[in-house]
Amino acid sequence: MSFKIAIIGRPNVGKSTLFNRLVGRRLAIVHDKPGVTRDRREGDGGIADLRFTVIDTAGLEDAFDNSVEGRMRSQTDRAIADADLVLFLIDARAGVTPLDSFFADYLRRSKRPVILVANKCEGKAGAPGLYESFALGLGEPVAFSAEHGEGLDDLYEALLPHARKHGGVMAEDELSSAWHEAADAGDDEVDEDGDVNAAAEQAEAARPLRMAVVGRPNVGKSTLVNRLLGEERMLTGPEAGLTRDAITVEWQYGGRTIRLVDTAGLRRRANVSDSVERLSTSNTIEAIRMANVVVLVLDANAILDKQDLTIARLVIDEGRALVIAVNKWDAVDNRAEAVRRLQDRLETSLPQVRGVPTVTLSALAGKGLDRLMDAVVGIYDLWNRRVPTAQLNRWLAEMTERHPPPAIQGGRRLRLRYMTQVRTRPPTFALFTQRADELPESYTRYLVNGLRETFGLEGVPIRFGLRKRRNPYAED
């Protein structure tokens, strides 16, 4: 969208709550603790027929050095520079503070149009602060409550002239089309046999590739994202745990749209006691669940420790495609030994995704990034692969002839009747047999390994289910 709005204000005035209100979802972490938001986050928002991109920012601090606060301030400055309009939030219940006055002067010098929003105006407690805010010289304030959604009509009226100027008002036919798309989004995409419709799969494949970057704290995730984007989009530094929100940025690579998600570091659950970190962990896990491809970033000096394996198993259990990126490779002395250790750990600890792609790189130096993205695109295509049913059943006949299913009670062999791929993303197969509960797990593993080798499905999780054929003569 061409119309961009940045939400600016000192810490803990309700910027993330307003952001969530405008985008219609709880994307940003909201907490009573000041300074939770550190990176700038973008989302598609709207009020009635207005459509815009809204930018959530860190709380404004009077810091211009290289401290964490100073780097957060730099991110906010970039958001203001990118925006067409600034919503300047104050806490009406706290009144106008010296920091509010300082940044009101700062915003006037930025030469960006500013709408003053007096937040937390529900009830009568915010009235004194609302009247006091006229003294900031930014025009008539909009009385608002981001938490309760009060004042949206007044905010709409304040935004309308700016939206018209920047093409942010939807025509009636566009609004009707958007409404029907939203209604259709809830339609059932599964047919009566429990299989995903081909049309639904094609529609999903046409969407941007969702790529989440995950790992332990301080392994270089945000540095990697910044290198890929070619700008200092994420807050980075030597301090562990700088990233708290899962931040999504759309980006182009090789003509393909990538929805890139930087996430907070995942520590062992027993070590997480802070409520903000618990929220960050939940956001990261949700980003994994919504991703197509997950890049697990490792520190080359501590390859695949216990927490790395826990994260990798979570990715596999969720059915996501996995790429392992070994960062800080330029700091490794014995690289051959490091590669051998990594391969040994993968073979013994992650046999369910044998052949998972691994890439060595240096995010700080920008080395190995093309190899990483080639691996991401390659594993994504594998994750979307569909094997024709006729080809599958010829393969099944060859596999059962080479190694027949075991005999069951009475000496009769199990008969494997039919096999089909019921969905992609990840590849999911159904095998039909009359006695599905009697097929040993070892034979299932034999078939899954055969699928990997024959159809080139190395490195992606495979779902394999047994279905019992319905007897048409049995009574319902």
Side-chain angles (χ1 to χ4, degrees):
M1 295 182 185
S2 58
F3 183 31
K4 283 192 174 184
I5 301 173
I7 303 174
I8 307 297
R10 60 184 177 81
N12 222 31
V13 295
K15 297 183 297 299
S16 293
T17 305
L18 175 57
F19 174 86
N20 289 341
R21 175 69 61 181
L22 293 177
V23 301
R25 290 183 293 163
R26 288 184 62 88
L27 291 181
I29 291 177
V30 176
H31 198 275
D32 292 338
K33 183 179 179 180
V36 169
T37 303
R38 288 175 171 173
D39 293 287
R40 66 186 191 272
R41 172 198 286 275
E42 295 187 6
D44 293 335
I47 305 175
D49 59 344
L50 304 187
R51 291 296 181 270
F52 43 78
T53 298
V54 59
I55 310 172
D56 188 22
T57 64
L60 282 167
E61 300 275 6
D62 188 10
F64 297 87
D65 55 11
N66 199 38
S67 63
V68 173
E69 291 77 13
R71 281 175 273 154
M72 290 162 59
R73 167 68 182 276
S74 177
Q75 290 284 327
T76 300
D77 288 343
R78 290 175 184 169
I80 295 172
D82 288 345
D84 301 303
L85 174 69
V86 172
L87 295 183
F88 180 46
L89 253 67
I90 66 164
D91 182 344
R93 295 194 172 199
V96 176
T97 68
L99 202 57
D100 290 328
S101 300
F102 175 83
F103 286 114
D105 292 337
Y106 171 77
L107 287 173
R108 273 195 293 270
R109 292 195 299 273
S110 73
K111 297 185 179 179
R112 285 283 183 274
V114 178
I115 294 176
L116 177 61
V117 179
N119 193 27
K120 306 183 184 180
C121 274
E122 64 274 14
K124 298 180 179 179
L130 173 66
Y131 299 133
E132 188 181 349
S133 66
F134 279 89
L136 291 173
L138 294 174
E140 183 176 352
V142 175
F144 199 78
S145 171
E147 185 173 357
H148 301 282
E150 297 176 8
L152 275 173
D153 51 347
D154 294 330
L155 183 59
Y156 173 90
E157 293 297 332
L159 291 173
L160 186 57
H162 302 280
R164 285 173 176 159
K165 180 180 177 182
H166 296 283
V169 183
M170 297 186 75
E172 187 173 343
D173 57 341
E174 293 177 314
L175 194 63
S176 175
S177 175
W179 186 88
H180 285 296
E181 285 180 10
D184 292 343
D187 286 353
D188 194 0
E189 295 183 350
V190 180
D191 64 23
E192 60 183 5
D193 295 323
D195 301 340
V196 171
N197 296 328
E201 282 187 350
Q202 292 172 2
E204 178 65 25
R207 295 174 183 170
L209 191 164
R210 297 189 295 273
M211 169 182 159
V213 180
V214 305
R216 291 179 288 113
N218 218 30
V219 294
K221 299 182 296 298
S222 296
T223 303
L224 174 59
V225 170
N226 285 343
R227 278 293 182 180
L228 290 171
L229 296 175
E231 61 170 310
E232 292 299 310
R233 180 64 178 77
M234 305 299 171
L235 192 67
T236 61
E239 304 89 352
L242 281 178
T243 301
R244 285 175 169 169
D245 270 314
I247 306 296
T248 304
V249 183
E250 285 208 357
W251 169 63
Q252 294 286 326
Y253 177 80
R256 187 191 294 255
T257 301
I258 310 285
R259 189 163 289 163
L260 191 56
V261 186
D262 185 26
T263 64
L266 288 173
R267 296 198 300 160
R268 294 181 185 178
R269 186 174 297 178
N271 296 335
V272 177
S273 57
D274 180 70
S275 58
V276 173
E277 188 174 357
R278 282 199 295 270
L279 289 172
S280 297
T281 298
S282 297
N283 264 15
T284 298
I285 293 173
E286 183 64 19
I288 291 172
R289 289 173 177 155
M290 297 300 295
N292 303 139
V293 180
V294 176
V295 176
L296 173 57
V297 183
L298 312 180
D299 188 326
N301 296 306
I303 293 179
L304 273 183
D305 71 359
K306 187 175 180 180
Q307 179 62 4
D308 292 327
L309 289 171
T310 299
I311 299 170
R313 291 190 186 107
L314 172 63
V315 174
I316 295 162
D317 290 344
E318 291 294 337
R320 307 302 95 184
L322 175 66
V323 174
I324 293 178
V326 185
N327 192 25
K328 308 179 185 179
W329 191 245
D330 48 352
V332 176
D333 293 328
N334 191 340
R335 297 183 178 181
E337 174 63 20
V339 169
R340 187 191 62 77
R341 282 202 327 270
L342 175 61
Q343 294 303 326
D344 287 348
R345 291 281 278 169
L346 288 174
E347 289 177 12
T348 57
S349 302
L350 296 175
Q352 61 270 52
V353 283
R354 192 179 63 201
V356 61
T358 59
V359 179
T360 57
L361 55 87
S362 171
L364 194 61
K367 296 179 180 178
L369 303 186
D370 286 338
R371 287 187 289 108
L372 172 65
M373 291 311 302
D374 288 345
V376 167
V377 172
I379 200 72
Y380 175 74
D381 291 340
L382 272 185
W383 191 64
N384 279 284
R385 177 170 293 179
R386 177 172 284 282
V387 182
T389 299
Q391 192 176 348
L392 262 180
N393 283 284
R394 286 195 299 269
W395 168 85
L396 179 63
E398 293 172 4
M399 293 292 286
T400 53
E401 185 177 348
R402 186 185 311 160
H403 180 43
I408 57 175
Q409 189 175 8
R412 295 168 51 196
R413 288 197 179 275
L414 279 170
R415 185 178 176 188
L416 308 184
R417 297 177 179 271
Y418 177 76
M419 187 171 177
T420 186
Q421 183 174 354
V422 295
R423 67 181 68 201
T424 59
R425 311 164 68 86
T428 303
F429 300 90
L431 176 63
F432 292 83
T433 179
Q434 197 63 40
R435 298 177 179 268
D437 53 344
E438 297 188 34
L439 189 68
E441 186 179 342
S442 59
Y443 198 83
T444 300
R445 285 199 301 270
Y446 161 71
L447 293 176
V448 170
N449 290 334
L451 283 170
R452 290 193 188 281
E453 294 170 5
T454 305
F455 300 111
L457 296 173
E458 299 286 345
V460 295
I462 290 178
R463 299 287 186 262
F464 192 91
L466 300 174
R467 295 188 183 181
K468 184 176 180 179
R469 291 195 64 179
R470 183 178 176 271
N471 185 347
Y473 300 103
E475 295 182 5
D476 291 333

